[in-house]
Amino acid sequence: METSLSFVLQAIANGLAMGGLYILVALGLTLILSIMGILQLAHGEIYMIGAYLVYYLTSSLGISLYIAILISMGAMGLIGLVLERGIFRPCKGDFLSVITVAIALTLILRSYAVAQFGLFERTVPKLASGSLVFFGVAVPKDRFVAMLIAAAMSVALYLFLKMTRYGQAMFACAQNPEGARLRGINPDLISPMAMMIGCALAAAGGAIAGSIWMLTPTMGTLPLVKGLIIIVIGGMGSLSGAIVAGIFLGLMDGIIPVFFGPVVTSIAPLVIVVLILLVKPQGLFGHG
Amino acid sequence: MLFQVKNLVVRYEGAEILKGISLEMEEGEIITLIGNNGAGKTTALRAISGLKSPHSGEILFRGQRIDNLLPQDIVKRGISQVPEGRALFPHMSVSENIRISGFLRNDKQGIKEDLDRIYDSFPVLKERSAQRASTLSGGEQQMLAIAMALMARPTLLLLDEPSTGLSPKMVTEIGRVIYNIHKSGTSVLLVEQNANLALSLAQRGYAIETGKIVLSGFAGELKKSEHVKRAYLGQ
C-alpha cells in the first residue's frame, strides 16, 4: 500500500513536470505556426541547444542555474530573431521550402550537437534539492519547481498577449493576417517577436529537462513530437488548448508507464489523438 | 487634389484585372466606384491600400506617390480601408478589435477619446464591447469594421461593398453612417455593387467594367444615364 501510493504520487509529479515542458515547447510552436504560418520542425533543436548552453554556463563558467536559464532564454531568443530574418522570412509563403529548410536546420543543429557535445549524457544542477512530503510519501521538489516555472511562463505569455499592444497585434495577425496589415500591423515586425518568444520558451523547457533528467543531442525529438500532438489535440492556435493538452499528455506519460509498461506508453497518446480528432476534428479548443 | 489614380494596371498571374484605370478626388469629396462582380473594384482598393503592387501606373495622395509603399505606411499617411467581407479579428472582443486598430498611434489619450466617440456613434458596439466579434450580426460586424478603420483617423476612407449581405433596413443604416462620416470631414471612396445606394450617397461616380472605367460624372447625371439604368439599376 505504502509503495503503490508512493509510485502513483511520483508518477503524477513526474507527469506534471513533463507536461510543463511539453507546454513550453507547444506554446512556442503554436505561436510560430499561427503567426508566421510556419511549422518549425527545428524547435526541438532550439530546446536542446538551450539546454546545452545552460550546461556550459553552469559547469564551465560557474554561473548559477537560474541566471544561466535566463541567459540561455535570451540567447535562444536572439537566435530565433536571426532564424526568422535569415531563413524563414525569405521562404515565406512557400510551404515546401519552409519544411525543407526546417528539416535541414534540424539535421545541421543535431549533427553539430553530436560533434561538439558528444553522445555522453550530461546533467545540469538540480532546480531544487530535497523532497516535499505528501501523505507520508516523499516527492522530489524539483518537479514542483519545474511546474511552477512552466506555469509562471504560461501566465506571463498570456498576460503579454492579452494586455499589451504587441501581444494583441500578434493575436490579430494570427486570426486575420491581411486584416491586420490593413490596420497598419506589419507582419515583419510581429513574426520575429513570435519567433523570439517561442525560442526563449523552448530554451527554458530544455534547461528544465536537462536539470530533472539528462542532456543528449537527441533530447529535442520527444518534446517536438509531443508539442505537435498538443497543437492538434488542443486546437490550432489555441493557447488554453495547448495548456490543457500539455498537462494531459504529461500526466499520461508519467502515469501510464507505471501501470502498463513502455509499449502502451508510446502508443496511448497517439490513439487518444485519433479518438479526439474523430469526435472533434478541430481539436478540443479549436475554432470551428 | 487629394487623391489621384493614373493609368493603374494590376495583374494577377498574368491576367490583367485592371487595364489602366484613372480617377481623382478633391479633399472632402465622397465618390463612388460602381461595377458588377469581377469588374476589378476590390483589386483597385487592394492596390490603393498596398496589399497588391500594381504592374504600372501611379497612385498619388496629396501629390506624392504611394504605389510603392507598404500597407502600414499608407495607413500612416491617412488612407484607411474597410475591406470586403468585414475582415475582423473574429476571436477577439469588440473592444479589442477597436483598440488594436489604433496600433500605429501613440497618443493614448486620443485613442481613448476616439473609442468613446465610436461608442457614442455606434451604441450597439458599446453594448457588445465584451463579446467576440464573430458573435455579432452581419450589420453589427459592418459597423465594427467601419469603426476599426476610423481608429486610424483617416483623411480618406475606402469602403469595399459595405452593403453586401445586409437587410434593406441595415443598408439604410450603413448609408446613414457613411453620410455622417463624410459630413464630419472625411473624404470617402465608396466601392459598391448597389448602385442605388452608392449614387444617392456620392457626389460623383465612376463605373468600372472588366477592368476599365466606362463612365464617369456627377451622381445625378449617372443616375439618369441609360447605360447605368440598364446595367446597374435594373430599370
Side-chain angles (χ1 to χ4, degrees):
Chain A
M1 179 62 211
E2 266 302 283
T3 24
S4 65
L5 180 64
S6 130
F7 267 139
V8 172
L9 284 181
Q10 295 261 14
I12 291 176
N14 265 334
L16 287 175
M18 274 189 256
L21 301 185
Y22 298 162
I23 289 169
L24 290 180
V25 173
L27 286 177
L29 272 177
T30 196
L31 211 58
I32 292 166
L33 180 64
S34 54
I35 289 163
M36 301 168 64
I38 284 173
L39 196 54
Q40 212 317 39
L41 292 173
H43 206 57
E45 274 42 60
I46 301 291
Y47 169 97
M48 178 265 297
I49 302 229
Y52 273 98
L53 185 57
V54 169
Y55 169 78
Y56 282 106
L57 287 171
T58 51
S59 68
S60 307
L61 300 178
I63 294 172
S64 80
L65 177 64
Y66 288 94
I67 305 285
I69 292 178
L70 288 177
I71 296 175
S72 174
M73 287 176 71
M76 289 301 124
L78 285 180
I79 285 182
L81 206 65
V82 173
L83 290 181
E84 193 276 334
R85 192 73 194 85
I87 295 183
F88 289 114
R89 198 183 297 181
C91 32
K92 197 161 75 177
D94 185 345
F95 183 72
L96 213 52
S97 345
V98 169
I99 293 286
T100 313
V101 157
I103 292 174
L105 195 62
T106 309
L107 294 175
I108 292 167
L109 291 177
R110 192 177 301 172
S111 318
Y112 171 80
V114 172
Q116 187 68 30
F117 312 137
L119 287 165
F120 319 103
E121 294 183 336
R122 296 167 195 271
T123 50
V124 161
K126 288 243 167 289
L127 290 164
S129 51
S131 303
L132 292 177
V133 179
F134 289 95
F135 310 109
V137 177
V139 178
K141 224 189 247 173
D142 59 352
R143 308 307 199 254
F144 292 95
V145 176
M147 288 171 223
L148 278 181
I149 294 177
M153 284 182 183
S154 309
V155 170
L157 177 65
Y158 177 79
L159 290 178
F160 168 74
L161 291 174
K162 201 72 188 164
M163 303 297 188
T164 70
R165 179 156 70 142
Y166 288 100
Q168 289 279 292
M170 284 188 166
F171 269 139
C173 272
Q175 290 173 24
N176 182 348
E178 198 166 281
R181 292 176 73 197
L182 283 176
R183 302 283 69 86
I185 300 166
N186 180 0
D188 289 343
L189 182 75
I190 301 302
S191 296
M193 260 185 223
M195 196 74 179
M196 268 178 82
I197 294 174
C199 288
L201 292 176
I208 296 169
S211 162
I212 297 184
W213 296 288
M214 297 285 177
L215 298 187
T216 66
T218 54
M219 68 189 280
T221 310
L222 182 72
L224 176 76
V225 172
K226 297 291 179 186
L228 295 175
I229 296 178
I230 287 171
I231 295 182
V232 175
I233 300 184
M236 217 58 95
S238 161
L239 298 181
S240 39
I243 289 169
V244 172
I247 293 172
F248 178 66
L249 272 197
L251 279 176
M252 291 216 318
D253 285 2
I255 295 170
I256 290 179
V258 177
F259 294 101
F260 302 103
V263 176
V264 179
T265 311
S266 35
I267 296 173
L270 299 173
V271 172
I272 290 181
V273 171
V274 172
L275 291 179
I276 289 180
L277 292 185
L278 279 176
V279 182
K280 277 203 92 179
Q282 70 275 37
L284 292 176
F285 292 73
H287 306 300
Chain B
M1 191 72 64
L2 177 72
F3 177 69
Q4 217 173 352
V5 173
K6 289 184 187 167
N7 271 320
L8 188 67
V9 176
V10 177
R11 290 181 176 168
Y12 273 103
E13 286 160 12
E16 216 159 76
I17 307 296
L18 292 183
K19 299 166 183 165
I21 66 161
S22 300
L23 47 89
E24 52 188 52
M25 65 191 292
E26 299 287 347
E27 182 132 28
E29 256 194 313
I30 174 166
I31 69 164
T32 184
L33 181 62
I34 54 175
N36 292 322
N37 251 340
K41 306 184 300 292
T42 296
T43 303
L45 287 195
R46 289 177 63 84
I48 296 169
S49 289
L51 292 176
K52 172 76 189 162
S53 40
H55 175 261
S56 62
E58 292 179 10
I59 304 171
L60 296 124
F61 187 64
R62 297 191 188 287
Q64 284 176 322
R65 285 189 66 164
I66 58 163
D67 43 86
N68 48 2
L69 296 183
L70 291 167
Q72 68 265 21
D73 296 319
I74 293 171
V75 175
K76 257 182 231 165
R77 296 205 178 192
I79 301 182
S80 187
Q81 190 192 145
V82 183
E84 195 184 13
R86 305 140 201 160
L88 312 165
F89 307 120
H91 311 300
M92 290 165 77
S93 73
V94 169
S95 76
E96 285 172 338
N97 266 276
I98 300 174
R99 276 172 207 277
I100 194 57
S101 300
F103 181 75
L104 290 172
R105 293 170 56 180
N106 286 312
D107 53 329
K108 274 197 171 158
Q109 193 54 40
I111 290 178
K112 211 192 142 342
E113 282 168 22
D114 281 8
L115 193 67
D116 290 340
R117 200 170 307 139
I118 281 169
Y119 283 155
D120 277 346
S121 22
F122 305 97
V124 64
L125 294 183
K126 186 174 189 179
E127 250 169 65
R128 308 209 184 284
S129 63
Q131 253 173 260
R132 276 186 179 204
S134 59
T135 63
L136 300 185
S137 73
E140 290 162 356
Q141 290 195 7
Q142 189 62 62
M143 305 272 185
L144 176 56
I146 292 173
M148 287 163 71
L150 290 178
M151 280 306 281
R153 288 202 173 166
T155 313
L156 171 59
L157 184 70
L158 313 173
L159 291 144
D160 195 354
E161 305 219 3
S163 76
T164 306
L166 300 184
S167 67
K169 195 177 154 224
M170 231 348 145
V171 171
T172 316
E173 181 64 19
I174 291 289
R176 195 184 56 82
V177 166
I178 297 169
Y179 177 83
N180 285 338
I181 291 170
H182 172 244
K183 255 292 165 68
S184 68
T186 308
S187 309
V188 176
L189 168 53
L190 171 64
V191 161
E192 260 300 342
Q193 243 186 100
N194 182 340
N196 215 349
L197 170 79
L199 291 175
S200 42
L201 279 169
Q203 296 162 333
R204 291 188 302 114
Y206 295 82
I208 183 171
E209 281 170 21
T210 55
K212 280 188 192 142
I213 302 283
V214 292
L215 263 181
S216 66
F218 288 105
E221 293 168 7
L222 287 179
K223 263 185 170 173
K224 283 181 215 144
S225 127
E226 282 305 318
H227 181 81
V228 170
K229 275 185 186 169
R230 222 172 331 111
Y232 302 105
L233 297 172
Q235 291 171 5

